[in-house]
Amino acid sequence: MKGRMVLVILAGLAYQISPIQYAAAADRGGVASVYSTESGSRTASGQKLNPQALTAAHRTLPFGTKVKVTNKHNGQSVVVTINDRGPFVRGRVIDVTPAAARVLGFSGLAQVTVDTSN
């Protein structure tokens, strides 16, 4: 993301924001959920969904972005790579694979922080 501008389209108007502004907008907390475990499915990036990989879905972060996800309840953290889009349920900020959820110490839903400054 270094040195690139990000194009954001709001209400039909295009704006360019710096990567620093973009990352700051993504650094926040919320609810994380666990991906469906249907192996063989494709992610939005075209990769095969691997439940054992440390990957995640985010609505806006570019594919390949590495983010640190921290479970607010127990302090456990994991770095995941964004390779899919979602979650599409209101109030959720990230979907993680079952492997990432195990590292974070939850199944189902958890309150997390998402940090892009890795």
Side-chain angles (χ1 to χ4, degrees):
M1 235 169 55
K2 290 184 180 177
R4 292 190 218 157
M5 293 300 286
V6 177
L7 183 65
V8 176
I9 300 175
L10 296 170
L13 301 173
Y15 297 95
Q16 281 193 342
I17 60 174
S18 74
I20 294 169
Q21 291 169 314
Y22 185 78
D27 286 346
R28 61 188 185 114
V31 177
S33 53
V34 182
Y35 262 117
S36 166
T37 57
E38 293 180 33
S39 284
S41 299
R42 295 274 174 194
T43 65
S45 67
Q47 295 177 342
K48 207 171 183 184
L49 175 59
N50 178 356
Q52 301 308 314
L54 297 178
T55 59
H58 191 275
R59 285 184 201 95
T60 59
L61 288 172
F63 297 138
T65 301
K66 293 195 182 298
V67 298
K68 181 179 179 183
V69 181
T70 303
N71 184 332
K72 288 183 178 182
H73 177 72
N74 62 17
Q76 298 285 21
S77 295
V78 66
V79 174
V80 295
T81 303
I82 303 300
N83 72 342
D84 203 3
R85 292 290 170 236
F88 299 110
V89 176
R90 187 180 196 145
R92 296 186 190 171
V93 296
I94 197 165
D95 278 335
V96 298
T97 57
R102 277 192 300 277
V103 173
L104 291 167
F106 79 95
S107 61
L109 303 175
Q111 285 289 327
V112 299
T113 59
V114 178
D115 180 8
T116 60
S117 61
N118 292 315

